[in-house]
Amino acid sequence: MDLAFIPSPSTGVVHLGPIPLRGYAFCIIIGVFVGVWLGNKRWIQRGGRSGTVADIAVWAVPFGLVGGRLYHVITTYEPYFGKGGHPLNAFKVWEGGLGIWGAVVLGAVGAWIGCRRRGIPLPAYMDALAPGLALGQAIGRWGNWFNQELYGRATDLPWALKISDDPSIGRVGGTYHPTFLYESLWCIGVALLVIWADKRFKLGHGRAFALYVASYCAGRAWIEYMRVDEAHHILGLRLNVWTALIGLVLSIVYIVVSAKKVPGREEVVEPGAQDAAEDGADATKDGTGAERAEEKSRKEAKTPKAAGSGEETAAKGAAKLTKDAGSGSRSGKES
């Protein structure tokens, strides 16, 4: 008897009239927004302009979605192009099925196009975006919870995931390891690790992004090993386990080699951003000076009587002196 477990949603779709609202899509969208938001903050801290990350994301996100879907369809082609498969289902992204490996690779191509158009170095952009990517993945993984997919082996642990029975797709009900939750928590840890390491060691030239890849792959390898969904195997290991191990090795090699060839961090990440910031600061100073002058004028305008009294006193003094001088002249003649 299961004393405790994590329940699964009864449905992953809520209909708002004729419009279907899918939990999977919402998780992906929210993950993208959070990733761009955090990336923008880090980009500004590095000396870039606000909004640049979002502008480049306009290129990166669509490329990433296409890449993620292509990786999934290629590595799990049976439901689409196998016996009894439906090729058109390959376009139904909202039903689940995005491979992070393809999303990162093709998303990087989109980011490269956007960076090239703005004259921005791609490694610096990826460094700023790295923790946001991990955090976005952490949120996006909850889409698998809505779809009741990508769970692990059967277990009776208190945090086991309750999966409902669905013979139409061959899903057997029971309690399983919530691998989606394991990966979500791992990605949060990856984001915190990259942020800490970047501040501590001043990572640059793509090394913060490489650290994200290495740490994510390290976790994905053991999480992938726990999963029970159908997958291709090579030498007894799931394909994604091998992909994670290869990504781990390549990213570590990049960190070591890059640190020797180009140590330190880029001083300029976005051409003209520093000049714009200085112009803005000067404009602020000028505005403050103008405000002070205007305030002084208002104060002077509030005391016209005082100024007028001074003028009247001076005029009376001058008239008295003139009168006295005139009187003195007349007295001299009469003598």
Side-chain angles (χ1 to χ4, degrees), residues 284-310:
T284 301
K285 292 179 180 179
D286 293 342
T288 303
E291 290 173 0
R292 289 176 179 173
E294 185 178 352
E295 180 66 20
K296 184 178 180 181
S297 299
R298 284 198 297 266
K299 289 181 178 179
E300 291 178 351
K302 289 180 180 179
T303 57
K305 292 182 180 180
S309 299

Side-chain angles (χ1 to χ4, degrees), residues 46-309:
R46 290 287 304 274
R49 290 189 178 96
S50 176
T52 297
V53 169
D55 291 343
I56 297 176
V58 171
W59 289 89
V61 171
F63 272 75
L65 290 175
V66 172
R69 189 60 174 176
L70 281 176
Y71 181 90
H72 169 75
V73 172
I74 292 172
T75 58
T76 314
Y77 62 87
E78 291 84 359
Y80 312 106
F81 304 103
K83 185 178 180 180
H86 302 281
L88 291 180
N89 288 345
F91 296 97
K92 297 180 179 180
V93 181
W94 55 87
E95 293 184 354
L98 291 174
I100 184 61
W101 319 110
V104 170
V105 172
L106 211 56
V109 173
W112 174 78
I113 295 174
C115 287
R116 186 176 178 83
R117 290 167 59 90
R118 299 290 291 266
I120 293 172
L122 177 63
Y125 178 82
M126 300 304 286
D127 280 344
L129 200 62
L133 284 174
L135 200 56
Q137 284 177 249
I139 297 171
R141 269 305 172 201
W142 284 85
N144 303 129
W145 177 63
F146 281 100
N147 285 356
Q148 296 195 48
E149 59 185 2
L150 305 187
Y151 43 86
R153 295 188 293 269
T155 182
D156 58 357
L157 291 170
W159 58 85
L161 176 66
K162 180 70 173 180
I163 296 295
S164 60
D165 189 70
D166 190 348
S168 64
I169 58 175
R171 190 172 68 202
V172 179
T175 55
Y176 300 86
H177 277 283
T179 50
F180 86 91
L181 178 60
Y182 298 161
E183 186 170 337
S184 180
L185 295 175
W186 184 270
C187 285
I188 293 174
V190 169
L192 295 176
L193 172 64
V194 174
I195 292 173
W196 170 81
D198 194 25
K199 289 182 178 180
R200 175 67 177 81
F201 303 105
K202 302 296 182 184
L203 300 176
H205 302 283
R207 288 187 286 276
F209 180 77
L211 177 61
Y212 146 72
V213 174
S215 52
Y216 170 74
C217 288
R220 179 62 185 268
W222 67 266
I223 294 171
E224 184 73 23
Y225 187 74
M226 298 179 65
R227 281 168 48 173
V228 295
D229 53 298
E230 293 184 5
H232 295 285
H233 288 71
I234 300 176
L235 299 178
L237 292 178
R238 294 167 64 96
L239 175 61
N240 282 336
V241 174
W242 285 108
T243 306
L245 293 175
I246 293 172
L248 173 62
V249 173
L250 291 178
S251 55
I252 291 175
V253 170
Y254 179 85
I255 291 173
V256 174
V257 174
S258 173
K260 291 182 178 179
K261 288 189 174 182
V262 281
R265 176 186 282 181
E266 301 92 338
E267 293 184 1
V268 178
V269 296
E270 185 169 3
Q274 188 63 33
D275 294 339
E278 291 176 356
D279 291 343
D282 291 341
T284 301
K285 292 179 180 179
D286 293 342
T288 303
E291 290 173 0
R292 289 176 179 173
E294 185 178 352
E295 180 66 20
K296 184 178 180 181
S297 299
R298 284 198 297 266
K299 289 181 178 179
E300 291 178 351
K302 289 180 180 179
T303 57
K305 292 182 180 180
S309 299

